[in-house]
Amino acid sequence: MPRVTPAARTAPAKRSSEKDASTRELILQTALEAFSLKGFDGASTRSIAAQAGVNQGLIPYYFKTKQTLWREAVDRAFDELHSAMGGLLASEGPSDREAAARMIRVYVAFVASHPEFVRLMNEEGKRTGPRMRWLVDRHVRPLVDGLTTLFSRVADEIGMPKGIDPTHLNYIFVGSVAMIFHQAPECRRVSGVDPLEEREVEAHADALVHLFLGDSTLGR
Amino acid sequence: MPRVTPAARTAPAKRSSEKDASTRELILQTALEAFSLKGFDGASTRSIAAQAGVNQGLIPYYFKTKQTLWREAVDRAFDELHSAMGGLLASEGPSDREAAARMIRVYVAFVASHPEFVRLMNEEGKRTGPRMRWLVDRHVRPLVDGLTTLFSRVADEIGMPKGIDPTHLNYIFVGSVAMIFHQAPECRRVSGVDPLEEREVEAHADALVHLFLGDSTLGR
DNA sequence: GTCTATAATTAGATAGAC
DNA sequence: GTCTATCTAATTATAGAC
């Protein structure tokens, strides 16, 4: 990965994918939000540029094609995941109930503060195509492998269901964590509850710890 | 709701929304699949018509606007839900563990055989807008009310978490059921498992019954 | 009822001024 | 680096032949 020198930040190299800082990053951030909300076809480059407050011509200037913009936005989303989850997905540290509860709470907190991440995963995971294949091969498979390893480690020491296929457990866990945040606008309208409020995020994590790890003093 | 006479099926009334049968129904079915897969903006009426094998001009002929097509497709999806779930969402019958397990299995089976339903809910529930408001007010709120009532009934008699907010429990349940089917293409590529196969559908239901209702003989 | 043809709008990408 | 202007293609909806 190329480093960006202070000089390059005002006079960027032309060949690298790292050019100017602020506008490029602003477009990426806006595009991630738009792609996750409206899908690749539904999000127009014009609307992304308008939302970012820049000209539409800057998108092909920085990213050449819409597909490249999408890929860089996805890379950015997974950068944020890994920096937020840290070593929690790696197989290290203790594997007792407290460690599992901590992992659940960290994951819930990440999804709640990055709903665009789960929207993007759901957007592209629901249909076959070149974007789905790229996303799975580059990002999702390593992530799922890490989760599966994590599950098999904690399953021994807590009251986790024994013979459950890790694939099913994976999607049960991810779905039970993410759905309320993915559907936040619907949830607000149907029930009046804003799941993104800190109180509700904690309530959701509490419920999940209880469901998956049992009642033993509810570990907080 | 207007009934369709045999005469109206070949010479449909012009004012009613029920006109000719086969082509209209074919477009509706195709549109539901397309809207759920690519979203309202991402699914073009041309591609829907092409997929259905009819001319693009037939869509404004039968449905006037794209929005009307979308609404009728959504109505159709909820018709299928209610005919599949039957009285299970109504507050009737026994409320013991076996009844709860049956409800879980029926719901899993419906979602597995109608992934377009959950795709559509996720597609529209993730952002605020006129379609989301229409969908929630017309279909989702009654559905969630039924589920919430059901949860509160069975929570007393089984080992369900006591103090959990029904909204959180709702989304935990729905997410844990639906995510693997919503992400079926991703699941196939990342793990090789096709969650839509009957064996996997049953395995998923087993896992959910175990998770939510506990291990007592696993009730099958 | 189904089609072709087309109008009006919007899409992604390019060219070139500054 | 950012903008305006424009090209080509695709969008929804309409008009009208059959």
Side-chain angles (χ1 to χ4, degrees), chain A residues 81-117:
Chain A
L81 172 72
H82 290 121
S83 73
M85 299 293 288
L88 274 179
L89 287 176
S91 302
E92 46 189 47
S95 59
D96 56 1
R97 184 186 180 282
E98 284 309 309
R102 227 169 10 247
M103 190 274 285
I104 289 177
R105 293 184 189 284
V106 171
Y107 188 51
V108 168
F110 172 76
V111 171
S113 57
H114 295 273
E116 79 281 359
F117 178 84

PDB file of all heavy atoms in Angstrom, chain A residues 81-117:
ATOM      1  N   LEU A  81     -14.267  -1.702   9.611  1.00  0.00           N
ATOM      2  CA  LEU A  81     -14.609  -2.880  10.413  1.00  0.00           C
ATOM      3  C   LEU A  81     -13.387  -3.408  11.158  1.00  0.00           C
ATOM      4  O   LEU A  81     -13.434  -3.642  12.366  1.00  0.00           O
ATOM      5  CB  LEU A  81     -15.182  -3.984   9.526  1.00  0.00           C
ATOM      6  CG  LEU A  81     -15.389  -5.329  10.230  1.00  0.00           C
ATOM      7  CD1 LEU A  81     -16.556  -5.265  11.208  1.00  0.00           C
ATOM      8  CD2 LEU A  81     -15.601  -6.466   9.244  1.00  0.00           C
ATOM      9  N   HIS A  82     -12.301  -3.585  10.426  1.00  0.00           N
ATOM     10  CA  HIS A  82     -11.133  -4.208  11.050  1.00  0.00           C
ATOM     11  C   HIS A  82     -10.487  -3.308  12.094  1.00  0.00           C
ATOM     12  O   HIS A  82      -9.984  -3.795  13.106  1.00  0.00           O
ATOM     13  CB  HIS A  82     -10.120  -4.610   9.974  1.00  0.00           C
ATOM     14  CG  HIS A  82     -10.589  -5.758   9.140  1.00  0.00           C
ATOM     15  ND1 HIS A  82     -10.738  -5.672   7.771  1.00  0.00           N
ATOM     16  CD2 HIS A  82     -10.978  -7.012   9.463  1.00  0.00           C
ATOM     17  CE1 HIS A  82     -11.188  -6.825   7.302  1.00  0.00           C
ATOM     18  NE2 HIS A  82     -11.348  -7.655   8.307  1.00  0.00           N
ATOM     19  N   SER A  83     -10.544  -1.991  11.849  1.00  0.00           N
ATOM     20  CA  SER A  83      -9.960  -1.122  12.861  1.00  0.00           C
ATOM     21  C   SER A  83     -10.863  -1.047  14.092  1.00  0.00           C
ATOM     22  O   SER A  83     -10.375  -0.812  15.197  1.00  0.00           O
ATOM     23  CB  SER A  83      -9.698   0.277  12.282  1.00  0.00           C
ATOM     24  OG  SER A  83     -10.916   0.965  12.116  1.00  0.00           O
ATOM     25  N   ALA A  84     -12.167  -1.274  13.913  1.00  0.00           N
ATOM     26  CA  ALA A  84     -13.069  -1.237  15.061  1.00  0.00           C
ATOM     27  C   ALA A  84     -13.041  -2.555  15.838  1.00  0.00           C
ATOM     28  O   ALA A  84     -13.067  -2.559  17.066  1.00  0.00           O
ATOM     29  CB  ALA A  84     -14.503  -0.931  14.606  1.00  0.00           C
ATOM     30  N   MET A  85     -13.015  -3.657  15.119  1.00  0.00           N
ATOM     31  CA  MET A  85     -13.038  -4.960  15.785  1.00  0.00           C
ATOM     32  C   MET A  85     -11.658  -5.363  16.280  1.00  0.00           C
ATOM     33  O   MET A  85     -11.538  -6.259  17.110  1.00  0.00           O
ATOM     34  CB  MET A  85     -13.588  -6.026  14.840  1.00  0.00           C
ATOM     35  CG  MET A  85     -15.014  -5.773  14.386  1.00  0.00           C
ATOM     36  SD  MET A  85     -16.208  -5.904  15.744  1.00  0.00           S
ATOM     37  CE  MET A  85     -16.209  -7.680  16.032  1.00  0.00           C
ATOM     38  N   GLY A  86     -10.640  -4.740  15.747  1.00  0.00           N
ATOM     39  CA  GLY A  86      -9.297  -5.024  16.221  1.00  0.00           C
ATOM     40  C   GLY A  86      -8.978  -6.503  16.170  1.00  0.00           C
ATOM     41  O   GLY A  86      -9.322  -7.197  15.223  1.00  0.00           O
ATOM     42  N   GLY A  87      -8.329  -7.000  17.206  1.00  0.00           N
ATOM     43  CA  GLY A  87      -7.946  -8.392  17.221  1.00  0.00           C
ATOM     44  C   GLY A  87      -9.051  -9.319  17.671  1.00  0.00           C
ATOM     45  O   GLY A  87      -8.816 -10.500  17.856  1.00  0.00           O
ATOM     46  N   LEU A  88     -10.265  -8.798  17.818  1.00  0.00           N
ATOM     47  CA  LEU A  88     -11.341  -9.632  18.351  1.00  0.00           C
ATOM     48  C   LEU A  88     -11.679 -10.788  17.424  1.00  0.00           C
ATOM     49  O   LEU A  88     -12.162 -11.823  17.865  1.00  0.00           O
ATOM     50  CB  LEU A  88     -12.602  -8.786  18.590  1.00  0.00           C
ATOM     51  CG  LEU A  88     -12.646  -8.096  19.948  1.00  0.00           C
ATOM     52  CD1 LEU A  88     -13.910  -7.276  20.081  1.00  0.00           C
ATOM     53  CD2 LEU A  88     -12.560  -9.126  21.053  1.00  0.00           C
ATOM     54  N   LEU A  89     -11.443 -10.582  16.131  1.00  0.00           N
ATOM     55  CA  LEU A  89     -11.739 -11.653  15.183  1.00  0.00           C
ATOM     56  C   LEU A  89     -10.578 -12.632  15.069  1.00  0.00           C
ATOM     57  O   LEU A  89     -10.762 -13.758  14.607  1.00  0.00           O
ATOM     58  CB  LEU A  89     -12.065 -11.067  13.798  1.00  0.00           C
ATOM     59  CG  LEU A  89     -13.427 -10.394  13.706  1.00  0.00           C
ATOM     60  CD1 LEU A  89     -13.629  -9.758  12.350  1.00  0.00           C
ATOM     61  CD2 LEU A  89     -14.516 -11.423  13.964  1.00  0.00           C
ATOM     62  N   ALA A  90      -9.400 -12.196  15.465  1.00  0.00           N
ATOM     63  CA  ALA A  90      -8.274 -13.134  15.467  1.00  0.00           C
ATOM     64  C   ALA A  90      -8.446 -14.114  16.633  1.00  0.00           C
ATOM     65  O   ALA A  90      -9.140 -13.843  17.609  1.00  0.00           O
ATOM     66  CB  ALA A  90      -6.958 -12.379  15.602  1.00  0.00           C
ATOM     67  N   SER A  91      -7.812 -15.274  16.504  1.00  0.00           N
ATOM     68  CA  SER A  91      -7.974 -16.302  17.532  1.00  0.00           C
ATOM     69  C   SER A  91      -6.955 -16.083  18.639  1.00  0.00           C
ATOM     70  O   SER A  91      -5.890 -16.693  18.661  1.00  0.00           O
ATOM     71  CB  SER A  91      -7.793 -17.693  16.911  1.00  0.00           C
ATOM     72  OG  SER A  91      -8.723 -17.880  15.879  1.00  0.00           O
ATOM     73  N   GLU A  92      -7.291 -15.190  19.534  1.00  0.00           N
ATOM     74  CA  GLU A  92      -6.376 -14.922  20.635  1.00  0.00           C
ATOM     75  C   GLU A  92      -7.185 -14.558  21.870  1.00  0.00           C
ATOM     76  O   GLU A  92      -8.377 -14.298  21.793  1.00  0.00           O
ATOM     77  CB  GLU A  92      -5.412 -13.792  20.275  1.00  0.00           C
ATOM     78  CG  GLU A  92      -6.093 -12.581  19.643  1.00  0.00           C
ATOM     79  CD  GLU A  92      -5.095 -11.567  19.109  1.00  0.00           C
ATOM     80  OE1 GLU A  92      -4.138 -11.977  18.406  1.00  0.00           O
ATOM     81  OE2 GLU A  92      -5.284 -10.376  19.393  1.00  0.00           O
ATOM     82  N   GLY A  93      -6.518 -14.531  22.992  1.00  0.00           N
ATOM     83  CA  GLY A  93      -7.165 -14.167  24.230  1.00  0.00           C
ATOM     84  C   GLY A  93      -7.977 -15.315  24.801  1.00  0.00           C
ATOM     85  O   GLY A  93      -8.062 -16.397  24.209  1.00  0.00           O
ATOM     86  N   PRO A  94      -8.575 -15.088  25.968  1.00  0.00           N
ATOM     87  CA  PRO A  94      -9.335 -16.154  26.624  1.00  0.00           C
ATOM     88  C   PRO A  94     -10.627 -16.442  25.864  1.00  0.00           C
ATOM     89  O   PRO A  94     -11.109 -15.622  25.094  1.00  0.00           O
ATOM     90  CB  PRO A  94      -9.630 -15.558  28.007  1.00  0.00           C
ATOM     91  CG  PRO A  94      -9.629 -14.075  27.782  1.00  0.00           C
ATOM     92  CD  PRO A  94      -8.594 -13.827  26.715  1.00  0.00           C
ATOM     93  N   SER A  95     -11.167 -17.613  26.054  1.00  0.00           N
ATOM     94  CA  SER A  95     -12.377 -18.001  25.330  1.00  0.00           C
ATOM     95  C   SER A  95     -13.486 -18.385  26.305  1.00  0.00           C
ATOM     96  O   SER A  95     -14.204 -19.341  26.090  1.00  0.00           O
ATOM     97  CB  SER A  95     -12.072 -19.159  24.390  1.00  0.00           C
ATOM     98  OG  SER A  95     -11.581 -20.260  25.119  1.00  0.00           O
ATOM     99  N   ASP A  96     -13.591 -17.622  27.371  1.00  0.00           N
ATOM    100  CA  ASP A  96     -14.650 -17.925  28.322  1.00  0.00           C
ATOM    101  C   ASP A  96     -15.892 -17.107  27.992  1.00  0.00           C
ATOM    102  O   ASP A  96     -15.935 -16.391  26.986  1.00  0.00           O
ATOM    103  CB  ASP A  96     -14.168 -17.639  29.755  1.00  0.00           C
ATOM    104  CG  ASP A  96     -13.680 -16.201  29.894  1.00  0.00           C
ATOM    105  OD1 ASP A  96     -13.746 -15.456  28.888  1.00  0.00           O
ATOM    106  OD2 ASP A  96     -13.229 -15.833  30.993  1.00  0.00           O
ATOM    107  N   ARG A  97     -16.900 -17.238  28.868  1.00  0.00           N
ATOM    108  CA  ARG A  97     -18.153 -16.544  28.622  1.00  0.00           C
ATOM    109  C   ARG A  97     -17.967 -15.028  28.558  1.00  0.00           C
ATOM    110  O   ARG A  97     -18.573 -14.349  27.728  1.00  0.00           O
ATOM    111  CB  ARG A  97     -19.137 -16.904  29.741  1.00  0.00           C
ATOM    112  CG  ARG A  97     -20.514 -16.296  29.519  1.00  0.00           C
ATOM    113  CD  ARG A  97     -21.426 -16.548  30.719  1.00  0.00           C
ATOM    114  NE  ARG A  97     -22.738 -15.957  30.489  1.00  0.00           N
ATOM    115  CZ  ARG A  97     -23.003 -14.678  30.617  1.00  0.00           C
ATOM    116  NH1 ARG A  97     -22.036 -13.837  30.954  1.00  0.00           N
ATOM    117  NH2 ARG A  97     -24.222 -14.209  30.392  1.00  0.00           N
ATOM    118  N   GLU A  98     -17.131 -14.499  29.450  1.00  0.00           N
ATOM    119  CA  GLU A  98     -16.928 -13.050  29.460  1.00  0.00           C
ATOM    120  C   GLU A  98     -16.335 -12.561  28.151  1.00  0.00           C
ATOM    121  O   GLU A  98     -16.721 -11.524  27.620  1.00  0.00           O
ATOM    122  CB  GLU A  98     -16.012 -12.656  30.630  1.00  0.00           C
ATOM    123  CG  GLU A  98     -16.713 -12.673  31.973  1.00  0.00           C
ATOM    124  CD  GLU A  98     -18.008 -11.886  31.960  1.00  0.00           C
ATOM    125  OE1 GLU A  98     -17.990 -10.716  31.517  1.00  0.00           O
ATOM    126  OE2 GLU A  98     -19.047 -12.446  32.359  1.00  0.00           O
ATOM    127  N   ALA A  99     -15.392 -13.339  27.594  1.00  0.00           N
ATOM    128  CA  ALA A  99     -14.788 -12.944  26.322  1.00  0.00           C
ATOM    129  C   ALA A  99     -15.838 -12.976  25.212  1.00  0.00           C
ATOM    130  O   ALA A  99     -15.872 -12.084  24.357  1.00  0.00           O
ATOM    131  CB  ALA A  99     -13.625 -13.870  25.985  1.00  0.00           C
ATOM    132  N   ALA A 100     -16.702 -13.991  25.244  1.00  0.00           N
ATOM    133  CA  ALA A 100     -17.748 -14.075  24.225  1.00  0.00           C
ATOM    134  C   ALA A 100     -18.723 -12.909  24.353  1.00  0.00           C
ATOM    135  O   ALA A 100     -19.133 -12.307  23.348  1.00  0.00           O
ATOM    136  CB  ALA A 100     -18.489 -15.411  24.356  1.00  0.00           C
ATOM    137  N   ALA A 101     -19.079 -12.568  25.580  1.00  0.00           N
ATOM    138  CA  ALA A 101     -19.996 -11.444  25.793  1.00  0.00           C
ATOM    139  C   ALA A 101     -19.363 -10.147  25.303  1.00  0.00           C
ATOM    140  O   ALA A 101     -20.021  -9.314  24.674  1.00  0.00           O
ATOM    141  CB  ALA A 101     -20.343 -11.335  27.282  1.00  0.00           C
ATOM    142  N   ARG A 102     -18.065  -9.994  25.571  1.00  0.00           N
ATOM    143  CA  ARG A 102     -17.378  -8.788  25.103  1.00  0.00           C
ATOM    144  C   ARG A 102     -17.422  -8.714  23.580  1.00  0.00           C
ATOM    145  O   ARG A 102     -17.658  -7.671  22.991  1.00  0.00           O
ATOM    146  CB  ARG A 102     -15.943  -8.790  25.614  1.00  0.00           C
ATOM    147  CG  ARG A 102     -15.524  -7.496  26.218  1.00  0.00           C
ATOM    148  CD  ARG A 102     -14.196  -7.524  26.979  1.00  0.00           C
ATOM    149  NE  ARG A 102     -13.397  -8.701  26.855  1.00  0.00           N
ATOM    150  CZ  ARG A 102     -13.152  -9.550  27.872  1.00  0.00           C
ATOM    151  NH1 ARG A 102     -13.692  -9.325  29.053  1.00  0.00           N
ATOM    152  NH2 ARG A 102     -12.363 -10.585  27.683  1.00  0.00           N
ATOM    153  N   MET A 103     -17.179  -9.870  22.953  1.00  0.00           N
ATOM    154  CA  MET A 103     -17.195  -9.881  21.491  1.00  0.00           C
ATOM    155  C   MET A 103     -18.563  -9.478  20.953  1.00  0.00           C
ATOM    156  O   MET A 103     -18.671  -8.676  20.022  1.00  0.00           O
ATOM    157  CB  MET A 103     -16.823 -11.286  20.989  1.00  0.00           C
ATOM    158  CG  MET A 103     -16.572 -11.375  19.503  1.00  0.00           C
ATOM    159  SD  MET A 103     -18.089 -11.640  18.537  1.00  0.00           S
ATOM    160  CE  MET A 103     -18.398 -13.377  18.877  1.00  0.00           C
ATOM    161  N   ILE A 104     -19.613 -10.009  21.543  1.00  0.00           N
ATOM    162  CA  ILE A 104     -20.965  -9.643  21.107  1.00  0.00           C
ATOM    163  C   ILE A 104     -21.188  -8.143  21.239  1.00  0.00           C
ATOM    164  O   ILE A 104     -21.675  -7.485  20.326  1.00  0.00           O
ATOM    165  CB  ILE A 104     -22.021 -10.421  21.926  1.00  0.00           C
ATOM    166  CG1 ILE A 104     -22.002 -11.894  21.522  1.00  0.00           C
ATOM    167  CG2 ILE A 104     -23.411  -9.828  21.721  1.00  0.00           C
ATOM    168  CD1 ILE A 104     -22.951 -12.772  22.322  1.00  0.00           C
ATOM    169  N   ARG A 105     -20.781  -7.592  22.384  1.00  0.00           N
ATOM    170  CA  ARG A 105     -21.030  -6.163  22.605  1.00  0.00           C
ATOM    171  C   ARG A 105     -20.232  -5.290  21.636  1.00  0.00           C
ATOM    172  O   ARG A 105     -20.727  -4.272  21.142  1.00  0.00           O
ATOM    173  CB  ARG A 105     -20.701  -5.788  24.055  1.00  0.00           C
ATOM    174  CG  ARG A 105     -21.651  -6.440  25.035  1.00  0.00           C
ATOM    175  CD  ARG A 105     -21.409  -6.023  26.469  1.00  0.00           C
ATOM    176  NE  ARG A 105     -22.199  -6.848  27.361  1.00  0.00           N
ATOM    177  CZ  ARG A 105     -23.503  -6.693  27.542  1.00  0.00           C
ATOM    178  NH1 ARG A 105     -24.140  -5.737  26.901  1.00  0.00           N
ATOM    179  NH2 ARG A 105     -24.150  -7.506  28.365  1.00  0.00           N
ATOM    180  N   VAL A 106     -19.011  -5.685  21.362  1.00  0.00           N
ATOM    181  CA  VAL A 106     -18.203  -4.891  20.417  1.00  0.00           C
ATOM    182  C   VAL A 106     -18.805  -4.962  19.015  1.00  0.00           C
ATOM    183  O   VAL A 106     -18.889  -3.957  18.302  1.00  0.00           O
ATOM    184  CB  VAL A 106     -16.739  -5.381  20.404  1.00  0.00           C
ATOM    185  CG1 VAL A 106     -15.963  -4.706  19.277  1.00  0.00           C
ATOM    186  CG2 VAL A 106     -16.079  -5.096  21.739  1.00  0.00           C
ATOM    187  N   TYR A 107     -19.246  -6.138  18.644  1.00  0.00           N
ATOM    188  CA  TYR A 107     -19.828  -6.297  17.305  1.00  0.00           C
ATOM    189  C   TYR A 107     -21.136  -5.510  17.183  1.00  0.00           C
ATOM    190  O   TYR A 107     -21.378  -4.835  16.178  1.00  0.00           O
ATOM    191  CB  TYR A 107     -20.048  -7.780  17.016  1.00  0.00           C
ATOM    192  CG  TYR A 107     -20.456  -8.067  15.600  1.00  0.00           C
ATOM    193  CD1 TYR A 107     -19.735  -7.555  14.527  1.00  0.00           C
ATOM    194  CD2 TYR A 107     -21.566  -8.859  15.320  1.00  0.00           C
ATOM    195  CE1 TYR A 107     -20.115  -7.810  13.218  1.00  0.00           C
ATOM    196  CE2 TYR A 107     -21.951  -9.121  14.020  1.00  0.00           C
ATOM    197  CZ  TYR A 107     -21.220  -8.599  12.974  1.00  0.00           C
ATOM    198  OH  TYR A 107     -21.603  -8.851  11.687  1.00  0.00           O
ATOM    199  N   VAL A 108     -21.962  -5.585  18.201  1.00  0.00           N
ATOM    200  CA  VAL A 108     -23.212  -4.807  18.193  1.00  0.00           C
ATOM    201  C   VAL A 108     -22.900  -3.313  18.084  1.00  0.00           C
ATOM    202  O   VAL A 108     -23.523  -2.590  17.297  1.00  0.00           O
ATOM    203  CB  VAL A 108     -24.043  -5.099  19.466  1.00  0.00           C
ATOM    204  CG1 VAL A 108     -25.177  -4.094  19.612  1.00  0.00           C
ATOM    205  CG2 VAL A 108     -24.596  -6.517  19.418  1.00  0.00           C
ATOM    206  N   ALA A 109     -21.921  -2.869  18.852  1.00  0.00           N
ATOM    207  CA  ALA A 109     -21.579  -1.446  18.819  1.00  0.00           C
ATOM    208  C   ALA A 109     -21.092  -1.038  17.433  1.00  0.00           C
ATOM    209  O   ALA A 109     -21.434   0.046  16.937  1.00  0.00           O
ATOM    210  CB  ALA A 109     -20.510  -1.138  19.868  1.00  0.00           C
ATOM    211  N   PHE A 110     -20.320  -1.907  16.795  1.00  0.00           N
ATOM    212  CA  PHE A 110     -19.838  -1.555  15.457  1.00  0.00           C
ATOM    213  C   PHE A 110     -20.989  -1.456  14.464  1.00  0.00           C
ATOM    214  O   PHE A 110     -21.090  -0.484  13.706  1.00  0.00           O
ATOM    215  CB  PHE A 110     -18.822  -2.579  14.955  1.00  0.00           C
ATOM    216  CG  PHE A 110     -18.457  -2.339  13.510  1.00  0.00           C
ATOM    217  CD1 PHE A 110     -17.598  -1.308  13.164  1.00  0.00           C
ATOM    218  CD2 PHE A 110     -19.009  -3.113  12.503  1.00  0.00           C
ATOM    219  CE1 PHE A 110     -17.279  -1.061  11.831  1.00  0.00           C
ATOM    220  CE2 PHE A 110     -18.703  -2.871  11.166  1.00  0.00           C
ATOM    221  CZ  PHE A 110     -17.831  -1.836  10.839  1.00  0.00           C
ATOM    222  N   VAL A 111     -21.848  -2.438  14.453  1.00  0.00           N
ATOM    223  CA  VAL A 111     -22.954  -2.432  13.498  1.00  0.00           C
ATOM    224  C   VAL A 111     -23.873  -1.231  13.741  1.00  0.00           C
ATOM    225  O   VAL A 111     -24.355  -0.607  12.799  1.00  0.00           O
ATOM    226  CB  VAL A 111     -23.738  -3.752  13.585  1.00  0.00           C
ATOM    227  CG1 VAL A 111     -25.013  -3.680  12.763  1.00  0.00           C
ATOM    228  CG2 VAL A 111     -22.876  -4.906  13.094  1.00  0.00           C
ATOM    229  N   ALA A 112     -24.086  -0.903  15.011  1.00  0.00           N
ATOM    230  CA  ALA A 112     -24.957   0.235  15.323  1.00  0.00           C
ATOM    231  C   ALA A 112     -24.352   1.544  14.852  1.00  0.00           C
ATOM    232  O   ALA A 112     -25.069   2.439  14.400  1.00  0.00           O
ATOM    233  CB  ALA A 112     -25.219   0.288  16.823  1.00  0.00           C
ATOM    234  N   SER A 113     -23.026   1.658  14.943  1.00  0.00           N
ATOM    235  CA  SER A 113     -22.402   2.920  14.529  1.00  0.00           C
ATOM    236  C   SER A 113     -22.005   2.895  13.061  1.00  0.00           C
ATOM    237  O   SER A 113     -21.568   3.914  12.523  1.00  0.00           O
ATOM    238  CB  SER A 113     -21.172   3.218  15.400  1.00  0.00           C
ATOM    239  OG  SER A 113     -20.252   2.150  15.320  1.00  0.00           O
ATOM    240  N   HIS A 114     -22.145   1.749  12.409  1.00  0.00           N
ATOM    241  CA  HIS A 114     -21.859   1.658  10.973  1.00  0.00           C
ATOM    242  C   HIS A 114     -22.962   0.888  10.261  1.00  0.00           C
ATOM    243  O   HIS A 114     -22.692  -0.153   9.655  1.00  0.00           O
ATOM    244  CB  HIS A 114     -20.506   0.990  10.723  1.00  0.00           C
ATOM    245  CG  HIS A 114     -19.341   1.755  11.237  1.00  0.00           C
ATOM    246  ND1 HIS A 114     -18.697   2.740  10.519  1.00  0.00           N
ATOM    247  CD2 HIS A 114     -18.708   1.707  12.428  1.00  0.00           C
ATOM    248  CE1 HIS A 114     -17.714   3.256  11.231  1.00  0.00           C
ATOM    249  NE2 HIS A 114     -17.692   2.635  12.401  1.00  0.00           N
ATOM    250  N   PRO A 115     -24.181   1.397  10.292  1.00  0.00           N
ATOM    251  CA  PRO A 115     -25.259   0.664   9.610  1.00  0.00           C
ATOM    252  C   PRO A 115     -25.003   0.533   8.113  1.00  0.00           C
ATOM    253  O   PRO A 115     -25.501  -0.396   7.481  1.00  0.00           O
ATOM    254  CB  PRO A 115     -26.500   1.510   9.906  1.00  0.00           C
ATOM    255  CG  PRO A 115     -25.979   2.853  10.269  1.00  0.00           C
ATOM    256  CD  PRO A 115     -24.657   2.628  10.927  1.00  0.00           C
ATOM    257  N   GLU A 116     -24.234   1.454   7.538  1.00  0.00           N
ATOM    258  CA  GLU A 116     -23.947   1.343   6.111  1.00  0.00           C
ATOM    259  C   GLU A 116     -23.170   0.071   5.806  1.00  0.00           C
ATOM    260  O   GLU A 116     -23.271  -0.455   4.690  1.00  0.00           O
ATOM    261  CB  GLU A 116     -23.185   2.576   5.618  1.00  0.00           C
ATOM    262  CG  GLU A 116     -21.704   2.610   5.923  1.00  0.00           C
ATOM    263  CD  GLU A 116     -21.398   3.011   7.357  1.00  0.00           C
ATOM    264  OE1 GLU A 116     -22.354   3.286   8.106  1.00  0.00           O
ATOM    265  OE2 GLU A 116     -20.210   3.048   7.725  1.00  0.00           O
ATOM    266  N   PHE A 117     -22.410  -0.430   6.778  1.00  0.00           N
ATOM    267  CA  PHE A 117     -21.663  -1.659   6.526  1.00  0.00           C
ATOM    268  C   PHE A 117     -22.599  -2.840   6.312  1.00  0.00           C
ATOM    269  O   PHE A 117     -22.474  -3.585   5.336  1.00  0.00           O
ATOM    270  CB  PHE A 117     -20.719  -1.947   7.704  1.00  0.00           C
ATOM    271  CG  PHE A 117     -19.944  -3.218   7.538  1.00  0.00           C
ATOM    272  CD1 PHE A 117     -18.771  -3.235   6.803  1.00  0.00           C
ATOM    273  CD2 PHE A 117     -20.397  -4.408   8.097  1.00  0.00           C
ATOM    274  CE1 PHE A 117     -18.056  -4.405   6.631  1.00  0.00           C
ATOM    275  CE2 PHE A 117     -19.687  -5.579   7.926  1.00  0.00           C
ATOM    276  CZ  PHE A 117     -18.519  -5.580   7.195  1.00  0.00           C
TER     277      PHE A 117
END
